[in-house]
Amino acid sequence: MYLTRLDVHGIINISSASLTPTDGINIFRGANGSGKTSLLEAIYLLGRGRTFRSRYTNTLINHDTRQCTVFGAATSKELGVPYTIGVSRERKGSFQFKVDGSRVSTSSSLADAIPLLLMNSDSFLLIEGGPGGRRRFLDWGVFHVEQQFQPLWVQYQRSLQQRNKLLRRDKISHQELSSWDDSFIRLSNQITEMRREYFISIEPLFLAMIQRLTTVKDISLQFYQGWEEGRTLASVLEENFERDKKRHVTSVGPQRADIKVSVNGRSASDVLSRGQIKALVAALLVGQGQMFRQKRGKQCVYLFDDLVSELDRHYLRRLLKVLASANAQVFITGTDHLPLLGVMENEKIKDFAVFHVEQGKVSSLNELDLKGEAQ
């Protein structure tokens, strides 16, 4: 899908803005604090119903207003269907989500309407951080290609919470806990099988994209299900009962799953340079987006915050070339847009637009403006 219009009101330092993005590469340029990232936040809010910079959505809201509102018009070129998305969030916590004029109650409905992939300074935790970020990354893909995953995930989370609650009882016996475990094990196995099937299908695409976008050699990706391979979850839960009871938490299961990223058998975070990790993260994100297009027959939207500072010119050239050839819609922020324009000129990328952001106001730069700045 492609955003054809974006209206933003009350987002941090953007009191009001309206713009018409191009279907290709959109660049938000301006000084630090001008509101560039606020525009990415607005797009992210449309697709996720929340912010990516804080746990608290009310941090999105301009201090002079009680609510923020974002409206987007979009179209699916593959299906030829236009539709609208609207999100309004109040400082007190209430919210309203709409897709094509109809109210929806969950952010998963927004995610289905505008599938987004984001790369910012926190994205390097995909390699350097703990398994939680990699699980969420994997589940983004499973959610978008397997319709049954979301309701199954909700059931699984409830079952896990109930099991952990029982483990906090002083005198819970193994036999009493086992009577509750049938549902937990069944849901865990279903979640794991969906994840495994998706990982098997996307692994070759990941490796191909890593080869195209990075200089990393001898890399391997491995899916870890959350407990020892070759053993049933029931037997591992039984073996860990005393430890789990003592710690009041379930120590094995899908909530411990991971994607292990290695180079020559060593953890990628211990081997790769910062620049290589940045390029690797970009490759994984684009690979995820390509799989989404293969499975769903439509594009996702890519958001890159301060891309020029995250990737050097060599990796930047590779990334923009791949995104342009995929006809993807991309939104990029940066204080300096000239390196981006230089790469696009060399690669003959024509479908792009530049928006100048200054003190919360957004204006589109035409071709004459850009030529004048380049000189």
Side-chain angles (χ1 to χ4, degrees):
M1 56 74 57
Y2 300 81
L3 277 172
T4 58
R5 176 183 165 194
L6 181 67
D7 294 331
V8 182
H9 303 280
I11 294 283
I12 314 178
N13 50 354
I14 304 286
S15 57
S16 182
S18 181
L19 58 132
T20 303
T22 182
D23 292 347
I25 296 172
N26 297 273
I27 302 170
F28 298 142
R29 76 97 191 259
N32 290 329
S34 61
K36 306 182 303 297
T37 301
S38 298
L39 290 173
L40 286 196
E41 289 269 31
I43 299 170
Y44 195 85
L45 184 66
L46 273 185
R48 300 288 180 90
R50 57 183 174 84
T51 172
F52 61 74
R53 287 196 289 189
S54 171
R55 293 175 55 192
Y56 306 102
T57 302
N58 60 10
T59 60
L60 271 176
I61 303 173
N62 187 295
H63 66 274
D64 291 329
T65 186
R66 292 178 297 178
Q67 70 175 32
C68 63
T69 302
V70 183
F71 172 85
T75 185
S76 173
K77 283 189 173 180
E78 295 82 2
L79 302 177
V81 179
Y83 56 98
T84 59
I85 312 95
V87 173
S88 178
R89 298 213 67 133
E90 295 187 2
R91 194 177 298 280
K92 292 182 179 180
S94 60
F95 64 90
Q96 187 176 110
F97 300 158
K98 286 188 176 182
V99 176
D100 229 8
S102 299
R103 294 192 65 168
V104 296
S105 58
T106 63
S107 58
S108 60
S109 298
L110 299 177
D112 194 50
I114 302 187
L116 302 170
L117 286 167
L118 166 73
M119 180 174 171
N120 65 356
S121 58
D122 292 337
S123 299
F124 307 120
L125 295 176
L126 191 60
I127 304 299
E128 299 174 329
R134 291 184 289 276
R135 277 196 302 274
R136 288 188 292 273
F137 175 75
L138 178 64
D139 287 344
W140 184 97
V142 184
F143 165 80
H144 280 290
V145 304
E146 178 53 68
Q147 291 184 342
Q148 294 303 312
F149 181 75
Q150 174 66 15
L152 195 67
W153 175 254
V154 172
Q155 294 177 54
Y156 163 75
Q157 285 292 324
R158 290 173 181 165
S159 180
L160 176 61
Q161 290 169 8
Q162 178 62 33
R163 191 176 196 276
N164 288 339
K165 184 178 179 179
L166 291 170
L167 286 168
R168 289 192 289 271
R169 289 186 182 178
D170 289 337
K171 297 182 179 181
I172 183 75
S173 69
H174 179 263
Q175 185 176 3
E176 288 176 298
L177 187 62
S178 295
S179 65
W180 290 88
D181 274 352
D182 288 347
S183 175
F184 176 74
I185 292 169
R186 174 179 56 82
L187 293 167
S188 295
N189 287 332
Q190 288 178 282
I191 289 285
T192 299
E193 188 58 27
M194 288 182 182
R195 284 173 169 172
R196 190 189 309 279
E197 288 181 1
Y198 179 76
F199 178 80
I200 290 172
S201 67
I202 200 173
E203 183 185 13
L205 213 164
F206 277 153
L207 295 175
M209 197 58 63
I210 289 168
Q211 186 174 7
R212 291 182 68 182
L213 295 183
T214 80
T215 56
V216 179
K217 305 296 183 184
D218 300 316
I219 194 163
S220 64
L221 307 172
Q222 181 183 7
F223 172 65
Y224 171 65
Q225 63 183 3
W227 68 95
E228 185 181 346
E229 292 286 346
R231 297 189 60 185
T232 65
L233 180 56
S235 66
V236 179
L237 287 172
E238 181 176 358
E239 181 179 289
N240 284 274
F241 170 71
E242 292 298 336
R243 184 177 67 171
D244 289 357
K245 182 180 176 181
K246 182 178 181 180
R247 297 182 178 180
H248 301 159
V249 67
T250 304
S251 60
V252 293
Q255 75 280 5
R256 304 296 183 189
D258 195 4
I259 298 176
K260 298 184 182 297
V261 186
S262 304
V263 178
N264 281 324
R266 298 175 59 191
S267 173
S269 61
D270 295 334
V271 175
L272 301 182
S273 69
R274 187 71 171 172
Q276 287 175 316
I277 289 176
K278 294 174 181 180
L280 177 56
V281 169
L284 293 175
L285 287 171
V286 176
Q288 185 89 281
Q290 296 290 352
M291 175 57 74
F292 172 81
R293 186 175 187 181
Q294 287 183 18
K295 295 290 187 178
R296 294 290 299 274
K298 57 182 182 179
Q299 277 283 13
C300 66
V301 174
Y302 296 89
L303 308 178
F304 294 96
D305 193 22
D306 203 13
L307 183 62
V308 172
S309 70
E310 301 297 359
L311 293 175
D312 65 28
R313 193 179 183 89
H314 175 70
Y315 291 133
L316 191 62
R317 179 184 62 80
R318 292 187 180 200
L319 176 62
L320 292 181
K321 186 175 181 179
V322 167
L323 291 171
S325 65
N327 296 317
Q329 187 175 44
V330 183
F331 294 87
I332 301 171
T333 68
T335 56
D336 184 6
H337 63 295
L338 295 181
L340 291 166
L341 295 184
V343 169
M344 288 189 289
E345 183 178 359
N346 290 337
E347 297 299 328
K348 297 180 172 55
I349 299 171
K350 302 295 184 182
D351 188 6
F352 69 90
V354 180
F355 298 89
H356 179 62
V357 188
E358 186 175 11
Q359 296 182 347
K361 298 185 182 299
V362 184
S363 57
S364 177
L365 298 182
N366 60 36
E367 188 174 350
L368 289 176
D369 294 330
L370 296 173
K371 285 184 178 180
E373 290 185 351
Q375 295 174 354

